[in-house]
């Protein structure tokens, strides 16, 4: 099963850029940046970045600060983006949606330069991907709920401008950040309407922790996709009302098993809320979230779900098919990806 999961052409729809960069690149960037004063404490933190240990959700958010302390120039952002794309391609991910929060660093980088650095790298893929690999990459720009209303407004505005300039690359916006911070219901969520009317797709983190009113508002927003959805079912800190809304809308859900386990929002793989979704064929997309912080890969996530819930090879292929359908790719791109999946199934004797 491990080898099948590795060779299966996969689609990653929920990957945060600064949570996905390898510890190796993080260390290289840190050591080579003359503007950063080196300290043993930070070197220790970098070593723990990729430890893969279980930690609280709050501790996970501290891990991102490490990456953010290092990705402070457009060149660093380019290097990180390239590294992350190459690693996903090496894991046989044929389509990747990266999401990232535009970040300004006084004196070193503006938000526009940050976004441009990611877009430029995506456009340069043919120059660095190598002849035996294939990957299509899109960009979602994130709003970090912890950063407040002004930052949120700025990011949505920047996302709309980037979408107008690069409609084939910048395809969506994401709401993420520490789920215990920020006024999402009244302040941040309404801003996403502007993005929607400008043609951007909407992906929202939803119900990582219990919060009935906010989760209800997020469900009713009818995003194109939701992330996590942990605390919706009444057995998982949700309520009957939330669960019935969720079933009514059937918004595709990005499921991040290892992320949830390592942030301790679920007890074990066996008890993950995916067990409520598989029997009802709920549209789900297996995803990594932050492959470096949680020390995983997309192949590993497929293996875990296959082995924990005794899924067949065909069911794993169906995950890729569903992910293609609910991705923000163009219809031509979706057709190409479906053809690649069919080729694989034929090679495996599954067609
Ligand atoms: C663990 N579950 C999660 N829940 C919510 N937000 C998360 C997250 N994992 C990552 N992020 C969001 O992604 C940022 C890092 O990537 P970028 O700097 O944007 O590329 C984090 O600061 C956080 O806002
Ligand atoms: Zn996430």
């Amino acid at each position: 099963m491990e080898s099948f999961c590795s060779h299966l052409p996969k689609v990653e729809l929920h990957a945060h850029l600064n949570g996905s960069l390898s510890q190796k690149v993080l260390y290289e960037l840190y050591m080579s940046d003359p503007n950063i004063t080196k300290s043993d404490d930070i070197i220790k933190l970098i070593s723990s970045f990729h430890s893969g240990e279980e930690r609280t959700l709050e501790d996970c958010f501290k891990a991102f600060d490490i990456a953010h302390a290092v990705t402070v120039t457009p060149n660093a952002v380019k290097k990180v983006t390239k590294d992350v794309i190459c690693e996903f391609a090496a894991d046989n991910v044929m389509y990747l949606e990266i999401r990232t929060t535009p970040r300004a660093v006084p004196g070193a980088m503006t938000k526009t330069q940050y976004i441009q650095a990611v877009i430029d790298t995506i456009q340069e893929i043919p120059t660095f991907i190598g002849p035996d690999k294939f990957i299509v990459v899109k960009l979602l720009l994130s709003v970090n709920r912890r950063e407040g209303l002004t930052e949120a407004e700025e990011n949505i505005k920047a996302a709309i401008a980037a979408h107008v300039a690069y409609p084939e690359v910048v395809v969506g916006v994401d709401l993420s950040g520490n789920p215990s911070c920020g006024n999402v219901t009244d302040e941040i969520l309404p801003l996403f309407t502007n993005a929607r009317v400008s043609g951007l797709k909407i992906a929202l983190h939803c119900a990582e922790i219990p919060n009935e009113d906010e989760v209800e508002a997020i469900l009713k927003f009818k995003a194109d996709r939701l992330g996590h959805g942990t605390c919706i079912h009444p057995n998982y800190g949700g309520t009957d009302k939330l669960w019935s809304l969720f079933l009514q809308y059937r918004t595709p859900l990005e499921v991040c098993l290892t992320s949830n386990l390592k942030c301790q929002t679920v007890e074990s793989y066996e008890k993950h809320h995916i067990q409520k979704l598989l029997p009802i064929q709920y549209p789900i997309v297996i995803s990594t979230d932050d492959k470096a912080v949680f020390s995983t890969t997309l192949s590993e996530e497929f293996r875990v779900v296959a082995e924990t819930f005794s899924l067949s090879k065909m069911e794993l292929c169906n995950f890729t098919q569903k992910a293609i359908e609910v991705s923000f790719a163009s219809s031509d791109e979706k057709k190409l990806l479906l053809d690649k999946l069919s080729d694989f199934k034929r090679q495996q004797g599954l067609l």
Side-chain angles (χ1 to χ4, degrees):
M1 198 43 105
E2 192 173 334
S3 162
F4 181 85
C5 292
S6 164
H7 289 100
L8 172 68
K10 290 173 289 294
V11 164
E12 171 64 79
L13 301 185
H14 188 133
H16 300 270
L17 181 63
N18 283 286
S20 302
L21 87 146
S22 67
Q23 190 186 29
K24 178 175 157 279
V25 171
L26 189 59
Y27 188 73
E28 272 169 26
L29 279 170
Y30 179 72
M31 294 315 277
S32 64
D33 189 337
N35 297 318
I36 300 178
T37 318
K38 309 293 177 285
S39 92
D40 286 347
D41 284 350
I42 299 275
I43 292 174
K44 240 200 207 140
L45 276 174
I46 292 178
S47 326
S48 71
F49 184 70
H50 198 217
S51 67
E53 287 161 13
E54 288 183 27
R55 37 195 162 184
T56 65
L57 197 54
E58 292 301 323
D59 286 339
C60 291
F61 283 96
K62 285 189 200 132
F64 302 120
D65 294 342
I66 307 170
H68 290 159
V70 177
T71 52
V72 289
T73 61
N75 272 344
V77 173
K78 285 191 89 170
K79 185 165 168 49
V80 166
T81 308
K82 182 176 167 186
D83 172 69
V84 168
I85 291 172
C86 287
E87 287 188 357
F88 275 111
D91 192 31
N92 291 318
V93 170
M94 59 175 169
Y95 176 86
L96 164 67
E97 288 177 10
I98 301 182
R99 57 187 75 190
T100 194
T101 323
R103 195 152 30 88
V105 180
M109 177 168 67
T110 62
K111 282 190 181 182
T112 309
Q113 286 173 322
Y114 182 100
I115 296 169
Q116 194 65 48
V118 182
I119 294 171
D120 286 349
T121 312
I122 292 173
Q123 293 192 317
E124 286 161 17
I125 289 174
T127 67
F128 63 76
I129 199 66
D132 55 334
K133 288 290 167 201
F134 170 88
I135 190 163
V136 174
V137 181
K138 305 284 175 185
L139 177 61
L140 274 56
L141 292 171
S142 303
V143 167
N144 182 342
R145 53 186 292 162
R146 191 187 58 181
E147 289 172 352
L149 188 58
T150 310
E151 290 280 329
E153 276 168 347
E154 260 180 43
N155 291 8
I156 296 277
K157 224 170 126 191
I160 293 170
H163 172 65
V164 170
Y166 301 95
E168 279 154 29
V169 179
V170 182
V171 291
V173 281
D174 154 65
L175 170 68
S176 50
N178 189 329
S180 54
C181 304
N183 181 347
V184 166
T185 310
D186 300 317
E187 290 189 348
I188 297 179
L189 201 51
L191 300 176
F192 280 77
T193 304
N194 299 342
R196 174 140 69 193
V197 298
S198 303
L200 284 157
K201 300 284 188 184
I202 315 285
L204 305 174
H205 281 60
C206 174
E208 271 183 286
I209 57 174
N211 187 341
E212 184 172 8
D213 291 346
E214 180 186 290
V215 173
E216 182 176 340
I218 291 178
L219 292 175
K220 286 185 171 167
F221 189 83
K222 296 197 187 169
D224 296 284
R225 293 197 313 255
L226 298 171
H228 299 294
T230 315
C231 307
I232 298 178
H233 190 280
N235 293 359
Y236 289 82
T239 62
D240 286 327
K241 184 181 181 193
L242 292 178
W243 185 246
S244 94
L245 276 174
F246 182 66
L247 295 184
Q248 184 188 336
Y249 298 142
R250 277 180 84 85
T251 306
L253 185 73
E254 302 144 0
V255 172
C256 314
L257 286 112
T258 300
S259 162
N260 298 151
L261 185 73
K262 294 205 169 159
C263 289
Q264 301 174 353
T265 56
V266 299
E267 274 178 48
S268 63
Y269 287 128
E270 292 75 16
K271 292 185 180 162
H272 191 277
H273 51 285
I274 195 174
Q275 64 166 316
K276 297 281 174 212
L277 307 170
L278 289 170
I280 57 170
Q281 273 96 45
Y282 194 92
I284 54 179
V285 183
I286 303 297
S287 317
T288 55
D289 207 9
D290 302 285
K291 71 178 176 57
V293 175
F294 303 125
S295 194
T296 190
T297 62
L298 191 54
S299 294
E300 175 63 7
E301 295 303 297
F302 270 69
R303 187 193 65 75
V304 162
V305 74
E307 291 184 357
T308 310
F309 298 99
S310 308
L311 302 184
S312 67
K313 290 178 176 174
M314 197 57 182
E315 285 171 303
L316 297 181
C317 291
N318 291 345
F319 279 142
T320 293
Q321 178 162 335
K322 180 53 72 183
I324 295 170
E325 285 166 17
V326 305
S327 76
F328 302 156
S330 69
S331 41
D332 282 353
E333 286 164 339
K334 287 183 182 181
K335 195 178 167 305
L336 177 71
L337 298 169
L338 286 170
D339 285 348
K340 288 197 176 280
L341 178 62
S342 296
D343 289 347
F344 174 80
K345 285 204 243 178
R346 228 170 271 121
Q347 281 163 20
Q348 296 287 321
L350 294 168
L351 256 194

